[in-house]
Amino acid sequence: WYRGPSLLESLDSLTPSESVVHLPFCFPVQDIYSINGDVIYVGRIEYGSIRTGERLIILPARKEIKVQSIKAFDTVKQSASAKECVGIVLDGDYSVKRGDVFCHENANLSVTDRLHVLLFWMGEKPLRISEIVHWRLATQDADCKVLDIIKRINSSTLEILPDDSAEIHKFEVAE
């Protein structure tokens, strides 16, 4: 029956994904702890790398901050890179919340109050234009209003449905 490569041969043939260490630093704050007088902002470095003493900005506030120390469990590190889970202690007192993002000034991240999404709807009730939906992205929660439905797709047949609908039905894909 099957005459292709074995599972191990297939896995060995995979090439690693492109490194994201060379990209500008990006760190979504997942949680905040106060330990022995230090306020520690914890999360996973999504892109780039960071060193103690570096200056960053907080999004969406765009305030400048300085890294006092980087912690990983019970150790203090001088630097950390993409895909590492770390705690960051800042040099000063800042108003930071879960979901805020620490990044370098040149990270080219934009702050917006609108999203353009491709959505697979699994709700029992149709999702309608002007309806408020509770949206969760990483560690942020927000109530969002559906402004427009550009296109609907039948997920079983991949047929593009008429675009005159003001609602998305169960198991439809919509933009």
Side-chain angles (χ1 to χ4, degrees):
W1 56 274
Y2 178 72
R3 296 189 189 282
S6 70
L7 175 60
L8 288 177
E9 290 170 334
S10 294
L11 290 174
D12 284 341
S13 71
L14 295 175
T15 56
S17 60
E18 183 180 329
S19 173
V20 291
V21 174
H22 69 281
L23 297 173
F25 180 76
C26 177
F27 177 86
V29 176
Q30 293 176 356
D31 215 340
I32 303 167
Y33 299 107
S34 183
I35 301 172
N36 298 329
D38 284 336
V39 177
I40 305 172
Y41 303 96
V42 298
R44 179 177 182 259
I45 300 172
E46 296 299 324
Y47 305 110
S49 59
I50 188 172
R51 297 191 64 76
T52 299
E54 279 194 68
R55 295 200 176 278
L56 304 171
I57 58 169
I58 305 170
L59 294 178
R62 295 209 169 276
K63 290 182 189 168
E64 188 175 293
I65 56 177
K66 184 178 178 185
V67 177
Q68 178 179 311
S69 64
I70 302 165
K71 299 187 176 197
F73 301 105
D74 288 336
T75 63
V76 176
K77 302 175 64 146
Q78 292 302 309
S79 64
S81 299
K83 302 186 181 181
E84 286 186 66
C85 294
V86 297
I88 296 176
V89 178
L90 301 177
D91 186 12
D93 188 22
Y94 300 93
S95 178
V96 177
K97 306 181 300 292
R98 272 182 93 224
D100 285 354
V101 175
F102 297 170
C103 63
H104 284 134
E105 185 79 43
N106 64 347
N108 200 22
L109 299 177
S110 57
V111 176
T112 183
D113 62 355
R114 292 179 184 244
L115 294 173
H116 182 113
V117 300
L118 192 59
L119 174 75
F120 180 74
W121 187 249
M122 298 191 314
E124 292 297 326
K125 296 185 331 187
L127 176 61
R128 295 180 173 84
I129 289 178
S130 297
E131 192 167 333
I132 303 297
V133 178
H134 188 73
W135 186 269
R136 243 190 127 147
L137 178 62
T139 54
Q140 290 187 354
D141 291 290
D143 288 329
C144 300
K145 184 177 183 179
V146 178
L147 297 178
D148 193 13
I149 299 171
I150 298 168
K151 177 171 55 173
R152 296 181 307 128
I153 301 170
N154 179 318
S155 65
S156 297
T157 65
L158 300 181
E159 168 193 8
I160 296 178
L161 301 170
D163 58 359
D164 59 350
S165 179
E167 59 188 26
I168 306 162
H169 298 277
K170 187 174 184 176
F171 302 135
E172 287 183 349
V173 176
E175 183 176 355

